[in-house]
Amino acid sequence: MDIACSKEELKLFERIGDAAQKMDVQCYLIGGFVRDKLLGRPTKDVDIVCTGDGIALAHNVAKTFVQPPQVNFFKNFGTAQFRLNGLDVEFVGARKESYTSDSRKPQVEPGTIEDDQLRRDFTINALAISLNKEDYGKLIDPFDGTKDLEAKIIRTPLGPDVTFSDDPLRMMRAVRFATQLGFEITEDVFEAIKRNKGRIKIVSQERITDELNKIMAAAKPSVGLDLLFRCGLLKEFFPQFTDLSGVEIIEGKGHKDNFYHTLQVIDNTAAKSNDLWLRWAALLHDIAKPATKRYEDGHGWTFHGHEVVGERMVPKIFKQLKLPQNEHMKYVAKLVLLHLRPISLTKEDITDSAMRRLLFDAGDELEDLMILCESDITSKNKVKVKRYLENFEIVKERLKAVEESDKIRNWQPPISGDEIMQLFNLTPSREVGVLKTAVREAILDGIIQNNYDAAYALLVEKAKELNLTPIAKL
Ligand code: ATP
Ligand code: MG
């Protein structure tokens, strides 16, 4: 065996080889497992292909264990899978495929190992290692995949137009592997993606977004996002994002290219956090700049309100991309809305109450918001960036000090809405909201102290204006 495997893996391969021999079929390790082992990347997904019934082989291997793992199988696809000590082992019968133009789903018939390798997406994913007695451990590499691994290139076994037209998801996979592995897509493959980009419409959005999220989770997402942009795929399924690109110049004044600015912000964020949703907030933070762009005479380019319009665009984009409509979406929307706030605090003469307001509005998301905002400081001018970052540090220190003294994050005002209703014998109504807001605002602005008595006194004052009298002090 040319690859480094654990004792456990080697024992498993022996069992698989024995079971296949008993069935009189050939079996091989293939795909991502072989690729990642050769690259020295950690991998837990073992892909096995056999020249016969993959489901039967999976069952026969499982049976050899004292405590057989549970085999899950999909008759329609001829695949089976079981988990074994953290390994995810997948079996499939070698197959030959032919495609029609309107579907990703091929017609399938049993084939040889060579047929099977030929239907794989990239040469680096078509490498096989024999688990058969006669040539156990032999690497079968009909398309020079090992050479491509060394040269770090993404190439297709068939002509790339055929590969991509047959299954357009492979275009997304090409970009994803280039991003994850730091590989180059060969020029003819890249040109083929440009030609076939329109075919992506036959792929479900869930599959596209799956690949997009793998790109977003990579160490440097900008690599993949830029490739998607340049080959034209990105515009096919995410035009709001590509609308950020380009620079307009009026009276000699240009604005920055917000697409490339956004890529930089995503990378900056990715360098500080692995959180996928924080990276999505970085992707979407300026999404409403095209919609809010104005040229103001004598002043220059403005994007007033882009954070508010952007917040509203988030649910629509999540729906379109089939991203989850849950707390992750709310989190992203919140960060988009607040993304300018910390930087606005770097100005001079900022009061403690402005700090308190941000602490209150950001709540649990403060740290992530600060990462996003700091990542948003990009400019070609290094001196400018340095000065901004220094001012930003001062804001961080002040936020910390205000939080330590006032404990505003996740703070609840000293009198709740329920208590207000009891105090004034009110049912849920506009008045309750007015009174509640008055207390909260007065405390955040530092007009009254953060305690029950001060809040009560203010409520009584406010209530007079609304012709209400308290019936009880709690
Ligand atoms: P990862 O597990 O990191 O996503 P992988 O290469 O293992 O990468 P899988 O989706 O697990 O990808 O697929 C396993 C193997 O199946 C691939 O290595 C490739 O040989 C083949 N394969 C997967 N998807 C396709 C596809 N759309 N077209 C052709 N071959 C594919
Ligand atoms: Mg895999």
Side-chain angles (χ1 to χ4, degrees):
M1 190 77 55
D2 288 338
I3 55 176
C5 292
S6 67
K7 262 198 194 133
E8 215 161 33
E9 286 168 341
L10 291 173
K11 268 197 211 148
L12 170 69
F13 301 158
E14 227 165 89
R15 278 175 199 264
I16 296 172
D18 288 345
Q21 193 178 32
K22 286 203 182 109
M23 291 168 65
D24 202 20
V25 300
Q26 310 269 294
C27 69
Y28 306 85
L29 286 164
I30 191 144
F33 184 80
V34 179
R35 178 198 69 221
D36 286 341
K37 283 286 185 187
L38 286 169
L39 287 172
R41 293 177 90 225
T43 172
K44 294 276 167 208
D45 296 349
V46 182
D47 296 312
I48 304 287
V49 62
C50 72
T51 55
D53 184 347
I55 298 177
L57 178 60
H59 279 111
N60 287 339
V61 175
K63 263 193 279 183
T64 66
F65 290 92
V66 183
Q67 277 187 319
Q70 187 192 318
V71 178
N72 305 305
F73 59 96
F74 305 92
K75 257 212 144 84
N76 292 347
F77 298 102
T79 61
Q81 171 271 356
F82 61 70
R83 290 194 69 80
L84 191 78
N85 306 324
L87 289 178
D88 188 354
V89 193
E90 275 203 45
F91 296 81
V92 64
R95 56 206 221 186
K96 209 174 169 162
E97 292 181 347
S98 53
Y99 286 83
T100 52
S101 63
D102 57 347
S103 164
R104 286 187 58 223
K105 301 203 174 60
Q107 293 201 330
V108 178
E109 53 186 295
T112 62
I113 179 70
E114 289 80 17
D115 291 331
D116 196 90
Q117 284 173 297
L118 202 59
R119 74 169 182 89
R120 302 266 160 182
D121 48 3
F122 305 109
T123 58
I124 59 167
N125 287 346
L127 293 155
I129 291 178
S130 165
L131 297 180
N132 306 305
K133 287 275 159 347
E134 58 278 14
D135 56 358
Y136 182 85
K138 184 178 163 205
L139 185 72
I140 304 165
D141 179 13
F143 313 112
D144 278 338
T146 40
K147 241 198 204 155
D148 292 347
L149 277 180
E150 265 165 42
K152 296 177 172 258
I153 58 177
I154 310 275
R155 208 163 51 83
T156 53
L158 297 168
D161 283 296
V162 178
T163 297
F164 295 139
S165 172
D166 280 353
D167 178 1
L169 181 68
R170 294 167 180 163
M171 300 188 281
M172 291 296 298
R173 284 173 59 90
V175 173
R176 189 254 290 189
F177 287 121
T179 316
Q180 280 181 331
L181 305 176
F183 279 29
E184 217 39 69
I185 298 174
T186 63
E187 204 181 317
D188 60 327
V189 169
F190 197 67
E191 290 301 316
I193 297 179
K194 283 187 189 166
R195 283 193 294 275
N196 289 279
K197 61 174 196 254
R199 296 277 295 156
I200 198 74
K201 65 176 178 294
I202 69 164
V203 179
S204 76
Q205 186 58 51
E206 285 85 349
R207 301 298 298 269
I208 297 173
T209 296
D210 234 28
E211 295 299 328
L212 183 60
N213 275 339
K214 286 180 182 171
I215 292 168
M216 288 294 280
K220 216 174 155 208
S222 68
V223 172
L225 297 170
D226 188 32
L227 285 169
L228 287 178
F229 175 61
R230 287 193 289 113
C231 70
L233 270 176
L234 194 56
K235 194 172 176 159
E236 295 289 319
F237 63 87
F238 198 176
Q240 298 97 325
F241 190 16
T242 57
D243 281 350
L244 287 174
S245 82
V247 176
E248 207 175 323
I249 298 172
I250 294 184
E251 294 172 356
K253 283 189 185 159
H255 55 78
K256 54 179 143 185
D257 182 315
N258 286 305
F259 181 75
Y260 283 104
H261 161 69
T262 294
L263 294 198
Q264 182 66 55
V265 179
I266 297 170
D267 280 356
N268 291 349
T269 306
K272 297 189 192 105
S273 164
N274 286 328
D275 188 318
L276 176 68
W277 303 109
L278 178 52
R279 294 174 181 203
W280 266 102
L283 192 157
L284 293 171
H285 79 286
D286 277 348
I287 200 71
K289 276 199 167 172
T292 56
K293 184 164 102 170
R294 300 276 176 280
Y295 185 81
E296 290 177 9
D297 283 338
H299 187 65
W301 292 101
T302 64
F303 304 91
H304 290 309
H306 73 272
E307 73 282 15
V308 181
V309 180
E311 179 205 21
R312 281 193 232 123
M313 286 172 75
V314 171
K316 197 171 155 249
I317 289 173
F318 265 56
K319 198 164 170 211
Q320 169 190 328
L321 297 179
K322 298 267 162 50
L323 286 163
Q325 312 267 307
N326 59 14
E327 72 280 1
H328 296 310
M329 179 181 85
K330 288 195 189 130
Y331 161 92
V332 171
K334 180 173 173 180
L335 289 195
V336 171
L337 176 68
L338 296 177
H339 81 269
L340 296 172
R341 292 276 296 279
I343 207 75
S344 73
L345 299 181
T346 57
K347 295 191 192 113
E348 276 165 41
D349 301 332
I350 297 293
T351 58
D352 276 1
S353 76
M355 299 282 163
R356 276 198 291 274
R357 262 174 202 290
L358 180 62
L359 289 166
F360 179 72
D361 290 341
D364 281 340
E365 272 65 76
L366 185 76
E367 276 83 14
D368 288 358
L369 178 65
M370 295 306 275
I371 292 178
L372 172 61
C373 195
E374 191 165 1
S375 303
D376 196 13
I377 302 172
T378 72
S379 162
K380 288 198 188 90
N381 184 337
K382 288 218 173 83
V383 180
K384 228 171 158 181
V385 169
K386 186 162 174 278
R387 196 178 64 233
Y388 275 139
L389 287 176
E390 280 165 5
N391 289 343
F392 199 72
E393 276 311 307
I394 298 170
V395 171
K396 272 195 195 161
E397 289 303 313
R398 272 191 73 190
L399 280 170
K400 215 162 117 191
V402 172
E403 171 59 17
E404 263 161 29
S405 76
D406 296 4
K407 303 271 182 293
I408 285 296
R409 288 175 70 179
N410 301 314
W411 162 80
Q412 292 298 328
I415 301 185
S416 71
D418 277 345
E419 285 167 330
I420 291 173
M421 288 195 278
Q422 285 181 47
L423 277 171
F424 298 98
N425 197 23
L426 292 170
T427 47
S429 57
R430 194 185 66 87
E431 280 88 353
V432 181
V434 171
L435 292 171
K436 213 175 131 183
T437 308
V439 170
R440 191 187 67 217
E441 295 296 292
I443 294 174
L444 288 174
D445 282 341
I447 294 167
I448 62 165
Q449 297 224 313
N450 179 15
N451 61 45
Y452 186 92
D453 286 340
Y456 182 79
L458 181 97
L459 273 178
V460 173
E461 276 303 302
K462 271 276 153 198
K464 271 189 209 147
E465 292 169 22
L466 299 171
N467 292 324
L468 298 170
T469 32
I471 57 161
K473 186 171 177 182
L474 300 175

